[in-house]
Amino acid sequence: MTAKQAEQRAAELRQIIEEHNRRYYVLNRPVISDFQYDVLMQELAAIEKKFPHLVTAASPTQRVGSDITKEFVQVGHKYPMLSLSNTYSIEELREFDNRVRKGLDGEPEYVCELKFDGTAIGLTYLDGRLHQAVTRGDGQRGDDVTVNVRTIPSIPQQLRGNDFPHEFEIRGEIYMPFLAFERLNRERDMEGEQPFANPRNAAAGSLKLLDSNETARRGLNCFLYYLLGDQLPADNHYECLQAAKRWGFTVSEHTRKCPSIEAVFDFIRYWETSREGLPYATDGVVIKVNSFAHQRRLGFTAKSPRWATSFKFKAEQAVTELLSVDFQVGRTGAVTPVANLAPVLLAGTTVKRASLHNADQMSLLDIRLHDWVKVEKGGEIIPKVVGVDLNRRPHGSEPFRYITHCPECGAALVRDEGEAKHYCPNDAHCPPQILGKIAHFISRKAMNITAGEATIELLFRNGLVKNIADLYTLKKEDVENFDKWGEKSAENLIKSIADSTGTPFERVLFALGIRYVGETTARKIAAALRSIDALAQADREQLLAVDEVGERIARSILAYFSDESNREIIARLRAAGLQFEAGAQVRFSDALAGMSFVITGTLSRPREEFKALIEAHGGSAGNTVSPKTTYLLSGDKGGAKLDTARKLGVKIIDEEAFRELIGVKN
Ligand code: IVH
């Protein structure tokens, strides 16, 4: 490469990278994978290394820091992050106590704590300053989420006092209080985003956000419960926690020393019901041997300490009367029976409705109207009916008769072989299915159009949007006179719809809402078949040849495209400018123009990534080695293709040689 060529290519690469930065950070709509992005950066870095005079301050390679780190850096744990053994009964706990006493040849003192239901974190402090915060990960290595953890007000950046060790780690649980959780889900609902299922998921998700400002807004909190290091301030767990409290950490005030297992039982019995009044989620009690000398004698198994265990609370239950049953029709047409209950207090909230799952479950439990039913709130926020109190069944009650027709549109329900749920087949005209389809279409992972459920409902009720294609003919004048709207919000909506036409094919495919075609399947289909036309024409065998596509998905795709109204909608969307072909926007270089590749063996990344890379550099990738194949790219454990390539004299290259071909050498 001459200096002149290098200069040209560097400029080209910067432009491509900037464009992908914009798509990733500004539009939130990347069209290449992180791997492909890294490869571009590596190529640029390789050029700049060879021709240092080309390095400029503005080059993307020079901008290190939070705005170009897409994922978190992995860090090894100094002490592995183990889990706790579980016990579910008082008997099992007695056995734990017996094992402990046998191991110690004496009487242990226990410390009881609540088991907080959040996500574990390890914080390292150096000279009293927060140095690093790492998630549990696989127990050996976790994600460095320090930037996000620094936004949690209850985690001290600087410790108080002067009796803390020069270096130590403290572990705890990051959690989201119920109030913050409910606020977050309300906001998400309004923005048309999927709500979090429970505070634990919400806490874990918020900790892994790429934007720390957003983490800061989420109202996270943290309880610390475990100190590790060489020079701890005491020889037992309880006093270490008291020291941690003095240094400024939040240690739960509900931590108790228990002189015997009987005292542990008392603690458990108390919290089994009292936890309902706590403003955060707990799922049990943790029991730890207090003395460090005792802990050392008991040691660890491969997975957990022998000096600690947890007692899991049973999901909270309530018993109440079943007043009536509603049937909700979801966006896919799936029918869910929902119980209307006499209001009852459960886990801190009044419950009036609960899921009844499906027809089978209802008949299995023999649930009848006006039965007294047991309602349970597990980890999930939606309560479910789990059983019936037969002693309180009213006289003369009859088995429940499941509906046969859709409560929304009257169509006869169908139930496919092997499916638990009934479906309303009238997907083109059943209102909740239409609304659901539109809501799915605009959602963030699909077309990312910023409108909430309420807006969709408004557009639908006013007859403006009856299907997803109608969105693209919407005009500002149509909506600006809605109650509480105005020019600005109307403009924003129209702009967001127009912007969505740049969404890459794989996401458009996901957005169409073909039954069983989720995000991953859509990506695989887009990578394999490349266009909506190829997909629409594909027969059963061609569909089954696609990774992830089985009989059920294939049947659903065939049914979708055999429906005239779906084909019509696609035609209209195409006219509106939506992307119906894969990878059209990605071109990195012509380095591989005219070359054809076949891949075999295990590479450092999935094959699809390499295929995409080959195509982005102008080459083509196929599945069978022939005399026309330019290169066989072979990873570890290449198979029969290696033999064929050798026989045909096709050149075999490894990943490193491939990287050289596309100019990435470091
Ligand atoms: S102590 C080696 N104490 O439960 C002992 N863990 O199932 C380390 N947890 O990974 C854990 N509350 O995320 C401990 N008071 C508490 C806890 C607690 C919640 C979590 C923690 C741990 C998991 C084990």
Side-chain angles (χ1 to χ4, degrees):
M1 192 183 250
T2 66
K4 186 89 202 133
Q5 284 167 330
E7 190 178 340
Q8 260 173 22
R9 181 62 184 157
E12 212 171 272
L13 280 167
R14 282 176 196 145
Q15 207 181 358
I16 299 176
I17 291 170
E18 288 304 343
E19 173 58 18
H20 291 298
N21 277 345
R22 198 178 71 87
R23 285 180 176 278
Y24 187 97
Y25 292 108
V26 183
L27 303 179
N28 202 6
R29 209 182 283 144
V31 289
I32 57 174
S33 67
D34 290 358
F35 171 64
Q36 289 174 278
Y37 179 89
D38 292 343
V39 168
L40 286 171
M41 286 288 269
Q42 285 161 15
E43 187 186 348
L44 181 57
I47 294 177
E48 289 177 347
K49 196 168 161 195
K50 223 165 173 182
F51 302 94
H53 72 279
L54 293 177
V55 181
T56 67
S59 175
T61 57
Q62 303 304 303
R63 273 190 291 131
V64 284
S66 63
D67 67 332
I68 50 170
T69 334
K70 291 186 178 178
E71 281 165 6
F72 297 97
V73 176
Q74 296 246 310
V75 216
H77 290 297
K78 185 165 175 192
Y79 311 91
M81 234 169 171
L82 300 174
S83 61
L84 286 171
S85 56
N86 291 325
T87 55
Y88 290 90
S89 67
I90 295 294
E91 293 80 70
E92 278 178 27
L93 208 51
R94 236 182 239 294
E95 285 163 23
F96 167 79
D97 178 52
N98 287 338
R99 283 196 303 276
V100 166
R101 287 189 309 162
K102 213 162 147 197
L104 293 180
D105 220 354
E107 293 292 314
E109 179 182 46
Y110 292 113
V111 175
C112 280
E113 296 163 15
L114 290 172
K115 190 166 188 299
F116 310 104
D117 200 7
T119 183
I121 193 80
L123 310 171
T124 315
Y125 281 79
L126 287 181
D127 295 321
R129 290 195 66 80
L130 174 60
H131 169 66
Q132 201 168 46
V134 183
T135 63
R136 178 191 164 86
D138 62 4
Q140 301 297 325
R141 304 169 67 74
D143 280 341
D144 179 342
V145 290
T146 317
V147 277
N148 286 347
V149 164
R150 285 193 199 283
T151 70
I152 302 174
S154 61
I155 293 182
Q157 307 277 340
Q158 171 72 53
L159 302 184
R160 292 202 295 260
N162 53 14
D163 61 336
F164 41 74
H166 152 69
E167 177 178 354
F168 69 94
E169 183 174 342
I170 189 163
R171 292 190 179 156
E173 200 84 352
I174 291 184
Y175 67 96
M176 188 176 285
F178 287 131
L179 270 178
F181 171 70
E182 277 151 25
R183 188 194 63 199
L184 175 63
N185 267 357
R186 265 198 309 276
E187 279 175 16
R188 289 175 77 84
D189 192 41
M190 265 171 0
E191 282 159 19
E193 286 180 46
Q194 192 72 15
F196 284 109
N198 53 46
R200 178 179 5 102
N201 291 358
S206 303
L207 201 56
K208 295 275 183 88
L209 288 168
L210 294 171
D211 177 0
S212 328
N213 296 320
E214 181 58 26
T215 308
R217 291 185 52 254
R218 296 264 176 112
L220 294 175
N221 216 325
C222 183
F223 281 123
L224 284 310
Y225 49 61
Y226 189 20
L227 208 58
L228 294 121
D230 296 331
Q231 302 141 345
L232 298 184
D235 65 0
N236 66 78
H237 174 64
Y238 190 82
E239 281 176 43
C240 279
L241 289 186
Q242 303 314 308
K245 206 184 267 186
R246 285 199 306 278
W247 301 335
F249 292 107
T250 313
V251 174
S252 165
E253 52 175 336
H254 306 306
T255 301
R256 290 284 178 277
K257 276 200 285 195
C258 295
S260 68
I261 197 72
E262 300 303 327
V264 170
F265 296 157
D266 288 343
F267 185 91
I268 290 175
R269 272 193 291 268
Y270 176 77
W271 283 108
E272 216 155 26
T273 49
S274 301
R275 71 181 181 122
E276 291 176 29
L278 294 171
Y280 45 79
T282 54
D283 60 346
V285 165
V286 181
I287 302 104
K288 301 175 183 171
V289 170
N290 192 22
S291 146
F292 288 155
H294 284 173
Q295 289 188 3
R296 277 192 296 273
R297 272 182 66 183
L298 291 163
F300 295 84
T301 70
K303 279 195 286 189
S304 54
R306 288 200 190 85
W307 46 263
T309 192
S310 65
F311 178 89
K312 288 288 205 73
F313 293 134
K314 281 198 208 55
E316 290 172 52
Q317 278 195 351
V319 176
T320 186
E321 192 189 346
L322 172 62
L323 302 175
S324 63
V325 177
D326 283 345
F327 294 88
Q328 279 178 355
V329 184
R331 83 172 169 86
T332 56
V335 176
T336 308
V338 179
N340 292 310
L341 305 164
V344 63
L345 201 65
L346 175 62
T349 49
T350 305
V351 173
K352 291 186 217 133
R353 284 162 73 78
S355 168
L356 285 160
H357 304 282
N358 53 51
D360 279 354
Q361 194 65 19
M362 285 186 74
S363 67
L364 196 73
L365 297 172
D366 187 19
I367 293 173
R368 303 179 181 192
L369 288 177
H370 302 291
D371 268 346
W372 285 77
V373 292
K374 288 181 208 152
V375 189
E376 195 175 286
K377 221 180 204 176
E380 264 60 80
I381 213 72
I382 299 164
K384 47 187 188 271
V385 173
V386 294
V388 179
D389 184 351
L390 290 175
N391 296 324
R392 294 173 82 172
R393 170 162 286 171
H395 286 295
S397 76
E398 283 180 26
F400 187 80
R401 271 208 300 268
Y402 209 77
I403 50 166
T404 52
H405 288 75
C406 177
E408 297 281 346
C409 71
L413 298 180
V414 294
R415 188 172 174 188
D416 289 340
E417 189 75 38
E419 287 282 334
K421 294 210 152 172
H422 286 74
Y423 282 90
C424 167
N426 184 16
D427 59 337
H429 301 104
C430 180
Q433 294 195 61
I434 300 172
L435 277 172
K437 271 206 179 67
I438 302 171
H440 167 74
F441 182 80
I442 67 169
S443 65
R444 209 161 65 116
K445 288 185 169 170
M447 303 303 283
N448 193 22
I449 294 171
T450 39
E453 302 261 321
T455 304
I456 296 305
E457 186 125 13
L458 199 65
L459 296 171
F460 178 71
R461 304 274 171 231
N462 282 282
L464 289 166
V465 174
K466 294 189 281 305
N467 59 48
I468 52 180
D470 289 345
L471 285 166
Y472 294 89
T473 48
L474 209 59
K475 285 186 281 303
K476 198 176 88 181
E477 301 78 59
D478 295 335
V479 290
E480 66 187 354
N481 292 326
F482 281 153
D483 198 23
K484 298 200 195 101
W485 277 60
E487 209 180 323
K488 192 73 202 152
S489 27
E491 237 169 58
N492 287 343
L493 176 66
I494 303 297
K495 180 172 183 306
S496 177
I497 293 173
D499 283 350
S500 76
T501 54
T503 305
F505 173 51
E506 59 184 48
R507 286 176 49 185
V508 176
L509 187 54
F510 168 60
L512 291 178
I514 304 173
R515 192 186 294 175
Y516 310 130
V517 178
E519 240 184 312
T520 311
T521 312
R523 204 175 319 126
K524 302 262 170 163
I525 294 174
L529 294 171
R530 318 290 301 164
S531 74
I532 199 89
D533 293 332
L535 178 62
Q537 282 153 23
D539 58 20
R540 184 176 157 276
E541 275 65 42
Q542 282 168 301
L543 291 172
L544 289 176
V546 178
D547 204 16
E548 297 255 326
V549 176
E551 199 58 62
R552 190 175 71 141
I553 301 180
R555 229 182 307 136
S556 164
I557 294 173
L558 290 171
Y560 180 88
F561 286 103
S562 68
D563 186 331
E564 176 62 35
S565 58
N566 288 333
R567 289 204 302 269
E568 211 170 281
I569 283 175
I570 287 173
R572 287 180 58 205
L573 291 174
R574 195 196 300 260
L578 268 65
Q579 309 291 322
F580 281 118
E581 269 171 44
Q585 306 116 314
V586 202
R587 190 67 175 207
F588 294 171
S589 81
D590 294 326
L592 307 181
M595 300 182 191
S596 69
F597 289 76
V598 175
I599 304 177
T600 186
T602 316
L603 300 163
S604 67
R605 306 278 312 172
R607 279 184 198 179
E608 261 177 58
E609 295 262 29
F610 280 90
K611 280 191 183 167
L613 209 52
I614 289 166
E615 280 158 15
H617 284 282
S620 66
N623 285 326
T624 26
V625 181
S626 79
K628 286 193 191 130
T629 308
T630 323
Y631 290 109
L632 177 69
L633 168 56
S634 172
D636 283 348
K637 304 200 195 86
K641 286 177 187 166
L642 276 174
D643 298 333
T644 321
R646 282 192 200 107
K647 247 180 254 155
L648 296 175
V650 169
K651 218 165 162 189
I652 300 167
I653 54 171
D654 62 7
E655 219 177 295
E656 170 127 5
F658 173 75
R659 293 167 89 85
E660 267 174 50
L661 281 179
I662 56 172
V664 185
K665 258 190 313 180
N666 265 338

